Amino acid sequence: MHAHIPFSTDRLDGLLDASGIDVLIVTSKHNIQYLLGGYYHFQFDYMEAIGISRYLPILVYVKGAPDKAAYVAGRNERDSVQNRIDAGCWMPPVVFGSSTTVEAMTLALEHVKAVATSFRLGIEMSFLPADAAAVLRRELPDARIVEAMRPLEKLRSIKSAAELDILREASERVVASMMDAVSRTRVGQSKREIIDHLRRAELSRDMIFEYALVTVGTSLNRAPSEQRLAPGEIVSLDSGGNYRGYIGDLCRMAVHGAPDGELVDLLGEIEAIQQAARVPIRAGLTGREIFSAANEALARSPHGSKMHFVAHGTGIVNHEAPRLTASGPIPYPADDADAPLEAGMVVSIETTLPHARGFIKLEDTIAVTASGYQAFGDSGRGWNPIPS
């Protein structure tokens, strides 16, 4: 009995065919993880540099022939690969023996030459080291090279039920971690200390802490610093926590003492934008319509002209397909703005107000369903109290 391949080969084959790709040579950490059903060599979770080069796993996939796939692994990867196989997870035939990027690509191309009849190669240009790319061009000088980022991104854009469960859990754990961090925050603590509260809270919930963008008081600076919380000031917490390979990315607000009427009104305006943007979300809606709903609400908001709204796909990568806008703080091609959303897509929606009172923001994670949406980690949306 063969282990189940953790992605849709039919969907991938269709995307490759539409892109003019016959053979995939996958080299990015996120796509290796996705195609191998969550596997990535544990030794390189944090840094990929080793010796005189870097760890470069490579997955070769031949369109229409998953039985011809191969995984090029590092020399010291046998135990973790074996554990994966013993757990009943899918793993293509493994080629061990690489310690450098050049060795990894050399082994991958030996496999490609042995199994492929067409050399229209899909590579991830942003995730292929220059020395490995040079090996590819030398060994297959007549190959047609095609950018594979887009078909792989589109493959990942529709999440399975299992992926959605992980993203829901990631979101809930991030928000719970924020509430934990707020409860431990005190007047006089620095941003670095507040971020450390959040880091510890996420780690205690079996997450990998990736980042936190934090503001204190009237400052709009979100980088870590020694700035300290003063009485009555506000705090914004925007954090990405990684749970089982997927990002929970949300933003919540806190305040020392009771929020005054102005603060209540300002966060209420942002909440109104967030809720308006949700209303039309469902399978079949185009991404552009999310922005239309948000822009209508912005036009009615007293501070709408100063607010920033954005929506973007999220999952293994924080900012992935569907890509819905090319303007504002997300300068990506809006390739999916006029395409219908599909059930299983996950979108982050966020509204920001840089104000004299400080940086005020909410960010939410929304999963598209056939008839509407589900919001993940949807608690803690008001002014959360910082203890005195």
Side-chain angles (χ1 to χ4, degrees):
M1 182 74 140
H2 293 293
H4 175 69
I5 295 177
F7 57 90
S8 170
T9 56
D10 288 343
R11 178 170 167 79
L12 177 55
D13 291 343
L15 290 166
L16 295 180
D17 196 48
S19 300
I21 296 172
D22 294 316
V23 181
L24 266 178
I25 300 178
V26 182
T27 53
S28 67
K29 179 176 180 176
H30 52 280
N31 282 321
I32 292 284
Q33 173 192 314
Y34 179 81
L35 295 170
L36 294 183
Y39 173 79
Y40 194 78
H41 186 22
F42 69 93
Q43 189 173 347
F44 298 98
D45 271 347
Y46 298 101
M47 181 177 289
E48 293 163 337
I50 183 169
I52 61 172
S53 186
R54 55 155 286 189
Y55 170 64
L56 183 69
I58 300 178
L59 180 66
V60 175
Y61 177 86
V62 180
K63 183 184 69 178
D67 57 308
K68 294 182 179 179
Y71 175 59
V72 178
R75 294 181 188 275
N76 63 345
E77 204 168 336
R78 292 181 184 274
D79 290 348
S80 56
V81 166
Q82 190 59 53
N83 289 346
R84 191 75 179 168
I85 294 171
D86 291 345
C89 301
W90 178 73
M91 181 69 71
V94 181
V95 180
F96 295 100
S98 69
S99 295
T100 68
T101 54
V102 168
E103 288 176 338
M105 183 57 73
T106 299
L107 292 170
L109 293 179
E110 287 176 1
H111 181 77
V112 170
K113 291 175 183 178
V115 300
T117 57
S118 171
F119 296 101
R120 298 190 301 174
L121 306 180
I123 67 170
E124 301 168 276
M125 297 182 187
S126 295
F127 297 93
L128 181 61
D131 56 358
V135 172
L136 190 156
R137 294 187 183 96
R138 184 181 68 241
E139 294 296 318
L140 292 173
D142 297 325
R144 178 187 172 195
I145 305 300
V146 182
E147 173 62 74
M149 182 277 292
R150 184 65 175 150
L152 286 168
E153 183 184 48
K154 291 181 74 173
L155 177 68
R156 298 196 321 269
S157 68
I158 300 177
K159 275 64 176 176
S160 66
E163 289 179 285
L164 291 172
D165 286 343
I166 295 172
L167 276 164
R168 178 186 293 107
E169 191 67 28
S171 301
E172 291 176 355
R173 292 185 186 211
V174 166
V175 172
S177 297
M178 289 177 177
M179 299 302 101
D180 191 345
V182 168
S183 74
R184 298 172 187 275
T185 296
R186 298 292 186 273
V187 167
Q189 290 181 345
S190 69
K191 283 206 292 182
R192 293 189 191 279
E193 290 175 293
I194 295 170
I195 291 169
D196 192 54
H197 293 323
L198 185 53
R199 177 186 294 107
R200 292 172 183 271
E202 290 184 10
L203 292 174
S204 74
R205 289 169 173 80
D206 197 27
M207 306 189 80
I208 296 172
F209 175 84
E210 291 209 356
Y211 60 85
L213 307 171
V214 175
T215 66
V216 168
T218 59
S219 172
L220 305 181
N221 185 317
R222 300 207 287 167
S225 74
E226 294 303 319
Q227 181 193 356
R228 297 187 179 275
L229 177 68
E233 288 190 326
I234 69 172
V235 173
S236 70
L237 297 170
D238 185 341
S239 181
N242 190 311
Y243 179 66
R244 294 174 57 187
Y246 290 77
I247 305 294
D249 178 26
L250 301 99
C251 185
R252 296 294 183 260
M253 298 299 303
V255 62
H256 176 253
D260 58 34
E262 182 181 38
L263 288 177
V264 171
D265 289 345
L266 291 172
L267 190 56
E269 285 186 51
I270 289 176
E271 173 73 351
I273 309 303
Q274 291 290 98
Q275 294 299 330
R278 296 182 183 197
V279 169
I281 295 178
R282 66 183 184 284
L285 173 91
T286 65
R288 197 176 299 279
E289 292 175 77
I290 298 175
F291 282 83
S292 295
N295 288 336
E296 290 177 9
L298 286 167
R300 298 190 298 267
S301 178
H303 294 85
S305 62
K306 298 179 181 178
M307 291 183 184
H308 307 295
F309 173 83
V310 72
H312 59 85
T314 191
I316 287 179
V317 175
N318 181 20
H319 291 197
E320 62 178 28
R323 289 191 266 119
L324 306 177
T325 180
S327 62
I330 313 296
Y332 310 133
D335 292 334
D336 304 308
D338 294 312
L341 297 176
E342 298 182 59
M345 289 182 170
V346 179
V347 178
S348 174
I349 60 173
E350 46 189 295
T351 304
T352 302
L353 173 60
H355 190 269
R357 298 295 300 273
F359 189 89
I360 305 175
K361 176 180 178 179
L362 289 174
E363 181 174 10
D364 302 317
T365 299
I366 308 296
V368 180
T369 68
S371 58
Y373 68 87
Q374 294 180 342
F376 296 164
D378 217 28
S379 59
R381 308 181 58 77
W383 285 105
N384 298 288
I386 296 170
S388 297

